[in-house]
Amino acid sequence: MISRHDERGFHYLYENYSAALYGVILKIVQSREGAEEIIQDTFVKIWNSIGQYDKVKGRLYTWMINIARNTALDYIKSKSFQNDLKNQSLPDFVYNDTNLSVSGEHDFIGFSKILDNLDADKKELIDLAYYKGYSQSEISEKLEMPLGTVKTKMRNALMKLKDLLKDYR
């Protein structure tokens, strides 16, 4: 329906996937206002680019979550977001982690429980790459680890995560 730009398809996607996508976005931007703006942008992008989705390459949900993630990462890397961070007073900048993190009530897809099954080093790599948008070379610099080691550990972390997700179904 959505590929034919039928609004019923759009409403179905929004009703069934917006909470999960919002959880991923909130984990990245850690701001309800930002997450609300980004979820709208995400669904506009999904609507406008549905023709690019290829079911041979993966599930629709995976494609949509990548759009949400990339939109959120673009948002936190934007100049306006960076300027807003610089202009905030300290009390505004320091947030209550339990209120804004994707845990408990905000973890709409239970992903943090799955991540908790990873070793701490694997979890850190996934967090840096997926939620914070670091490249492997940036992770290498941040963790003071050779790039080849980062690549190997990232591959192992993703393989473990894939196994955990299979068990989750």
Side-chain angles (χ1 to χ4, degrees), residues 36-165:
E36 289 168 5
E37 181 181 328
I38 294 166
I39 194 73
Q40 290 177 359
D41 291 347
T42 297
F43 275 96
V44 168
K45 287 179 181 181
I46 290 168
W47 178 259
N48 290 333
S49 61
I50 191 67
Q52 296 174 4
Y53 168 65
D54 183 357
K55 64 181 175 186
V56 173
K57 292 182 180 178
R59 297 180 352 182
L60 179 63
Y61 176 71
T62 305
W63 180 76
M64 291 188 324
I65 213 158
N66 280 323
I67 290 174
R69 175 186 171 271
N70 291 337
T71 303
L73 290 173
D74 288 346
Y75 175 81
I76 63 171
K77 290 180 180 180
S78 71
K79 287 187 184 240
S80 63
F81 179 79
Q82 295 300 319
N83 285 337
D84 287 347
L85 283 179
K86 290 176 187 174
N87 293 329
Q88 286 180 344
S89 64
L90 188 58
D92 291 339
F93 182 72
V94 178
Y95 57 87
N96 181 341
D97 193 44
T98 58
N99 288 335
L100 295 178
S101 68
V102 176
S103 61
E105 68 180 279
H106 299 297
D107 187 11
F108 296 100
I109 58 174
F111 199 65
S112 61
K113 289 180 183 175
I114 295 168
L115 286 176
D116 285 343
N117 291 311
L118 289 175
D119 295 335
D121 62 330
K122 288 178 174 68
K123 187 175 179 179
E124 180 180 30
L125 288 173
I126 297 292
D127 183 62
L128 288 171
Y130 191 79
Y131 291 116
K132 296 190 174 133
Y134 282 63
S135 68
Q136 289 181 338
S137 57
E138 290 170 331
I139 293 170
S140 172
E141 289 176 26
K142 180 171 179 58
L143 300 180
E144 298 177 354
M145 185 183 298
L147 181 59
T149 304
V150 169
K151 289 181 178 193
T152 301
K153 288 185 173 222
M154 181 64 77
R155 182 176 187 277
N156 291 338
L158 292 173
M159 288 172 42
K160 178 66 175 171
L161 185 59
K162 182 179 177 181
D163 289 341
L164 290 170
L165 288 170

